[in-house]
Amino acid sequence: MTQLEGREELQALEMFWEEVSIPMQDVWNPIPPAAPDPKQFALGERGLSPAARVNALNTLAAYLDHKRDHMLGYQVTEDMNGYQEDLSRFLKHHLNNLGDPFQVGGYKVNTKVVEQAVLNYFAKLWHGEPYNQTNKESCWGYVLSMGSTEGNMYALWNARDYLAGRLLIIDEETSGTHTYDQPVPDPHNPNAYKPVVFYSEDTHYSFAKAVRVLDLRTFGEYGREHEREYKNPLGGSWPDEVPSEPGPDNKPSTYGSGRIDIGKLKVLVDYFAGKGHPIIVSLNFGSTFKGALDDVQKVCDTLLPVFVKHKLHEREVTYTNGKKHKRRGFWIHVDGALGAGYIPFLRMAADEDKYEFKPDSEIPKFDFGIKSKSGNITKDMVSSIALSGHKWMGAPFPTGVFMTKVKYQMQPPDKPEYIGSLDTTFAGSRNGFSPIVLWDHLAKHPHDRQVSLITHSHRMAAYLEQQLTRLEEYWIKKHNKEKGFLQVARSPLAITVRFRKPNARIVAKWSLSTVTMLMTPGNPETRAEIAHVFLMSSATQDKIDAFIADLHAPDAFNPNVKEPFAAPTQTFDGITLEAVNPFGDRGFA
């Protein structure tokens, strides 16, 4: 007799967990299905016959099922069977959450009531207050139609307008005032409304794209553009990004954990704040390639005295009508695309004895609950957070969450009567199906279940790291390789493991993400090709074992083994596009 017998509610709960457990994955099948032929999907003016259409879809479905069962290289959860069973009824509606999520708007076929529930859940999870229009400390946000790339871009846009002195939602407008009115220039500081952006060399590639779209300047760009007046306080030429922590034994940062170098960040921020610039800092929480977690609390504690020193902790913005508004001169954003979804539950696992989980290092704080102190001044420090919903939670398409506080919320550039709502989001039309998917996941996964999923991922990451270490011993004995041949590495608390890139056939089979790096930047002789595996909650020991078995093949690390392209690939003059990255985190959004 089990402990659950006679307790109907708990027995039903146990049966439910069994129903949503990870389905068996066909990881050992040696014969993959044929890749879809582009000719099979070609469309003409007469369309396709019913038989041809069904055959094309069947081919695609078989191929995608196989690729899903062998997905290891990207941070997406593949356990999504429940969505088809529970949510397919909503596919007969055009669900469009047009406009602000907290305003019903003119288009009534929406899921904003579900979106609000998701947003309020994350507000509380991230130690904020659920949205209340009259409470400027409460959290406002929206569910993204893209992944965190959209959330990061919106955060930078909001930060730019906030620090440039443009009007906010909470600012009173007089009749005829345009929402993009500029503040009166500060006669004593020509840089008062020229924000400068700081992010580390392990930051997702989309940040470089976002700052260009928004016409913002990184510290490196601004320094180079004003090289006569601005000299790099770190010495040498201006870097593109803030350096990450060095590796062991003072090796270059490419050997390091991927976390931002807080000491160098402080020096750079102090230099630009001293020249009167407002400051935008973006921090990584689960970086793309190394899974690194920047120590957000330590960054905030380090930077607040700098902001106080240069009077950026609070400043006055004066407008042409003589009105004055007080706001801060800095913005700290957290790109929590992956980590913001699971670190709260990892912390629960570490804090509560019942979970029997011992982390390999201290779990950093990252959210709206962070407060820092400098002298008698205390500030809440985090201004915005972005999360990708298709990563930790899992979704059949990209989605996510952006969140800030009401007191930082920018005025939209226009107020279209047509949609019956403020246009406060980045997109106009927004996917109304995404909130249902996120809500369904959260409804099925109470905190205990979330803790179970993330501790499972950590066990799988430790298991893969162990198996790769054993694999290296095999290659040393069997093939006379040197110690360190596989370049196995795992950052603290990460659910990703890095190692030498295998041959193209294995990379394609397991959908591995790879980068070509100069381990010593600027030295071509240190070129290395690195792959990684993400151990999401859908990863199983069976899948890891099948992957390790493939890496025992005699040609597993032979770079001359080629995988023919299954479909046309963009090339220049027949040469596949390729780039060499000096840094390691430039991948998946």
Side-chain angles (χ1 to χ4, degrees):
M1 181 174 181
T2 71
Q3 291 180 329
L4 297 183
E5 289 182 16
R7 301 167 67 184
E8 294 182 4
E9 182 178 340
L10 294 180
Q11 282 183 296
L13 188 63
E14 183 181 49
M15 291 174 62
F16 173 73
W17 291 145
E18 291 175 356
E19 290 173 4
V20 300
S21 63
I22 300 166
M24 181 63 70
Q25 301 175 36
D26 189 13
V27 295
W28 294 99
N29 188 346
I31 305 174
D37 185 343
K39 295 179 182 178
Q40 196 176 10
F41 291 85
L43 296 169
E45 61 183 32
R46 301 182 65 180
L48 274 71
S49 70
R53 184 182 65 84
V54 171
N55 186 48
L57 292 175
N58 288 343
T59 300
L60 180 63
Y63 177 78
L64 293 177
D65 284 347
H66 177 78
K67 286 300 181 184
R68 176 202 60 201
D69 289 348
H70 294 82
M71 170 66 73
L72 279 175
Y74 293 84
Q75 55 272 49
V76 287
T77 298
E78 295 294 332
D79 181 17
M80 291 179 283
N81 286 6
Y83 295 148
Q84 179 178 345
E85 297 169 5
D86 296 340
L87 306 184
S88 60
R89 73 188 88 169
F90 298 104
L91 290 174
K92 65 182 180 182
H93 305 289
H94 173 75
L95 302 175
N96 193 330
N97 286 12
L98 185 64
D100 191 280
F102 294 97
Q103 297 178 0
V104 175
Y107 187 81
K108 305 302 182 184
V109 189
N110 66 60
T111 62
K112 290 187 177 181
V113 63
V114 182
E115 182 176 16
Q116 291 166 17
V118 170
L119 294 170
N120 288 336
Y121 175 94
F122 280 107
K124 289 183 284 187
L125 186 69
W126 295 338
H127 297 98
E129 300 179 44
Y131 177 75
N132 180 341
Q133 185 179 359
T134 62
N135 179 6
K136 68 179 184 178
E137 295 295 335
S138 66
C139 293
W140 174 91
Y142 71 98
V143 171
L144 307 167
S145 292
M146 296 162 54
S148 276
T149 293
E150 178 188 347
N152 293 333
M153 187 171 291
Y154 193 93
L156 289 172
W157 181 19
N158 202 151
R160 183 197 70 179
D161 283 10
Y162 177 89
L163 297 174
R166 290 173 176 162
L167 292 175
L168 307 177
I169 288 284
I170 61 173
D171 293 335
E172 294 181 9
E173 288 189 77
T174 57
S175 178
T177 301
H178 193 276
T179 56
Y180 265 10
D181 271 359
Q182 301 291 333
V184 175
D186 186 337
H188 306 292
N189 181 10
N191 296 323
Y193 302 113
K194 296 177 182 178
V196 175
V197 184
F198 299 80
Y199 52 83
S200 83
E201 62 191 23
D202 280 278
T203 297
H204 189 262
Y205 72 87
S206 64
F207 268 83
K209 178 168 58 177
V211 295
R212 184 175 298 181
V213 168
L214 293 166
D215 198 27
L216 283 163
R217 292 292 181 271
T218 65
F219 72 93
E221 288 175 321
Y222 203 92
R224 288 190 292 272
E225 290 171 2
H226 300 80
E227 59 183 354
R228 296 183 66 179
E229 308 99 65
Y230 287 66
K231 304 300 179 185
N232 181 8
L234 300 178
S237 59
W238 284 101
D240 291 315
E241 297 124 335
V242 179
S244 295
E245 289 180 341
D249 302 320
N250 209 31
K251 289 182 179 178
S253 59
T254 42
Y255 293 91
S257 66
R259 293 178 299 212
I260 196 167
D261 189 317
I262 298 175
K264 291 178 180 176
L265 173 65
K266 178 184 178 182
V267 171
L268 290 166
V269 168
D270 183 58
Y271 182 83
F272 279 86
K275 290 193 175 286
H277 291 278
I279 303 296
I280 301 173
V281 176
S282 179
L283 300 171
N284 298 318
F285 213 68
S287 63
T288 306
F289 206 81
K290 296 180 178 179
L293 303 168
D294 285 338
D295 192 335
V296 182
Q297 177 78 67
K298 188 174 180 182
V299 169
C300 293
D301 292 345
T302 300
L303 293 185
L304 182 58
V306 176
F307 298 144
V308 171
K309 171 185 171 183
H310 298 291
K311 298 182 172 54
L312 291 178
H313 65 290
E314 185 174 274
R315 60 183 190 158
E316 207 167 53
V317 180
T318 304
Y319 294 91
T320 52
N321 60 8
K323 285 196 172 183
K324 297 182 178 181
H325 297 151
K326 286 188 176 181
R327 63 180 71 172
R328 60 185 61 185
F330 68 91
W331 185 288
I332 294 178
H333 171 66
V334 176
D335 177 8
L338 178 63
Y342 71 76
I343 285 296
F345 305 111
L346 196 66
R347 179 174 291 280
M348 293 177 197
D351 288 347
E352 298 187 37
D353 292 339
K354 67 178 181 178
Y355 297 120
E356 294 292 336
F357 174 75
K358 302 299 180 186
D360 54 27
S361 66
E362 185 178 353
I363 300 173
K365 297 178 181 178
F366 73 95
D367 55 29
F368 297 115
I370 288 180
K371 294 184 185 296
S372 296
K373 187 173 183 179
S374 178
N376 61 354
I377 296 171
T378 301
K379 288 284 183 182
D380 61 305
M381 297 296 289
V382 173
S383 301
S384 56
I385 301 172
L387 162 77
S388 286
H390 54 281
K391 291 187 176 178
W392 177 249
M393 290 178 284
F397 36 69
T399 183
V401 170
F402 167 79
M403 192 161 289
T404 184
K405 289 187 175 182
V406 170
K407 65 181 179 181
Y408 304 129
Q409 195 181 353
M410 64 181 176
Q411 286 273 7
D414 197 6
K415 298 179 179 179
E417 182 180 356
Y418 172 77
I419 66 173
S421 162
L422 282 177
D423 186 22
T424 50
T425 67
F426 189 77
S429 293
R430 292 188 297 112
N431 184 353
F433 196 70
S434 294
I436 303 178
V437 170
L438 299 181
W439 179 90
D440 192 61
H441 170 87
L442 298 171
K444 286 179 176 178
H445 294 77
H447 286 184
D448 280 346
R449 178 63 171 164
Q450 295 278 11
V451 168
S452 178
L453 292 178
I454 184 53
T455 52
H456 164 79
S457 286
H458 265 261
R459 287 193 298 271
M460 291 299 97
Y463 179 69
L464 175 59
E465 185 179 19
Q466 169 191 294
Q467 294 303 92
L468 285 170
T469 302
R470 291 179 176 177
L471 177 69
E472 182 177 80
E473 295 173 359
Y474 165 83
W475 275 85
I476 291 172
K477 293 178 181 178
K478 183 77 172 179
H479 301 286
N480 298 317
K481 298 297 182 181
E482 296 180 356
K483 185 174 178 61
F485 166 72
L486 279 188
Q487 300 171 287
V488 181
R490 180 182 170 209
S491 296
L493 299 173
I495 56 174
T496 181
V497 182
R498 312 187 295 280
F499 51 94
R500 176 185 288 270
K501 175 184 173 182
N503 67 40
R505 183 182 67 245
I506 295 174
V507 168
K509 177 179 178 179
W510 294 98
S511 294
L512 299 182
S513 174
T514 66
V515 295
T516 302
M517 304 170 63
L518 300 182
M519 300 305 290
T520 300
N523 183 356
E525 295 182 0
T526 63
R527 176 187 173 111
E529 294 184 317
I530 307 295
H532 71 172
V533 161
F534 263 96
L535 289 309
M536 306 302 288
S537 60
S538 54
T540 63
Q541 185 171 323
D542 198 40
K543 181 181 282 191
I544 294 171
D545 290 343
F547 175 63
I548 292 293
D550 281 354
L551 296 181
H552 277 79
D555 64 351
F557 297 96
N558 184 346
N560 296 319
V561 175
K562 301 297 181 184
E563 172 73 8
F565 293 119
T569 299
Q570 185 180 3
T571 62
F572 286 126
D573 298 326
I575 302 173
T576 305
L577 298 180
E578 185 180 273
V580 177
N581 283 327
F583 315 118
D585 266 8
R586 298 298 188 223
F588 199 50

